[in-house]
Amino acid sequence: MTEFERELVQSFNAFFEKNNVRGIAHRLKQHRFTPQFLDVLVDSLNPDYYMGIECKSISVEKGANALYFTQHFTVDKKGSHQIDRISDFLRRSGRNGFLAVELRMGAGCARKAHIIPWDDLYSRFHDESSLKYTVKEIQTYPPIERKSGHYLIEPVKWRAGKRIIE
């Protein structure tokens, strides 16, 4: 489990406890040859909190300028792309899906994270003219704010998926 995934799980669970919401966020144990559906699963009877989140981190400080569908996502032995596999899982489970992207900015700079609704990602992936999300495009999606080392959980804002266009 990456630090980003761990922080998201802890932040969700702290949010549920603080707001007296019945829900739990967890990460299934990953085994070497067993695929996992998503990085973070959130279970709740409240449909706003019934979701699956795939997490990706990119090192902006090391020159990464985009999240590529070929480089940052996997293709299994049967030729099925990770985005299609996750989309199928989300459809079958009824979960709301999101891609959380952490931008690592380098030593001395705070990490930043943004949340992309899965439907946007799926459409973008199947648009033949697009192979990536640039860092600038990622930053147009709602940020996952941090406070005192924890992410602030606001799924209602995420579901709206309002992009900030400058």
Side-chain angles (χ1 to χ4, degrees):
M1 180 182 323
T2 69
E3 185 178 341
F4 180 43
E5 294 164 9
R6 184 178 300 107
E7 286 180 11
L8 272 181
V9 167
Q10 291 171 348
S11 296
F12 263 101
N13 289 329
F15 169 82
F16 289 144
E17 190 171 318
K18 178 183 175 189
N19 293 288
N20 200 27
V21 173
R22 290 178 61 191
I24 188 167
H26 56 99
R27 186 171 188 305
L28 298 175
K29 187 172 182 175
Q30 187 172 5
H31 299 282
R32 186 171 175 170
F33 298 108
T34 305
Q36 71 180 58
F37 292 111
L38 287 156
D39 292 321
V40 176
L41 295 176
V42 184
D43 293 322
S44 177
L45 292 175
N46 182 328
D48 286 336
Y49 306 119
Y50 187 61
M51 62 181 72
I53 303 170
E54 180 64 20
C55 299
K56 299 292 181 188
S57 290
I58 56 176
S59 298
V60 176
E61 85 273 13
K62 292 184 180 176
N65 59 5
L67 179 78
Y68 292 91
F69 297 140
T70 53
Q71 178 183 347
H72 294 100
F73 294 89
T74 62
V75 175
D76 68 13
K77 292 178 183 179
K78 297 176 185 175
S80 178
H81 195 279
Q82 185 179 11
I83 293 174
D84 287 325
R85 293 191 315 267
I86 291 172
S87 298
D88 183 57
F89 174 79
L90 292 170
R91 181 187 55 77
R92 291 178 10 179
S93 70
R95 292 178 189 272
N96 297 306
F98 295 95
L99 174 67
V101 182
E102 179 184 54
L103 304 174
R104 295 188 313 274
M105 308 306 267
C109 298
R111 292 172 289 157
K112 297 179 180 180
H114 293 268
I115 195 88
I116 300 173
W118 197 263
D119 290 342
D120 285 12
L121 175 76
Y122 183 80
S123 295
R124 180 73 171 260
F125 173 65
H126 284 284
D127 176 357
E128 301 283 328
S129 65
S130 183
L131 304 172
K132 64 186 178 190
Y133 273 106
T134 65
V135 168
K136 190 171 184 174
E137 288 171 321
I138 292 167
Q139 291 172 328
T140 66
Y141 284 92
I144 308 174
E145 301 291 338
R146 286 178 64 90
K147 184 176 181 182
S148 304
H150 293 285
Y151 286 103
L152 301 178
I153 304 303
E154 301 176 300
V156 174
K157 287 184 181 179
W158 300 350
R159 284 187 73 182
K162 302 293 183 202
R163 292 182 66 188
I164 304 161
I165 308 298
E166 296 178 10

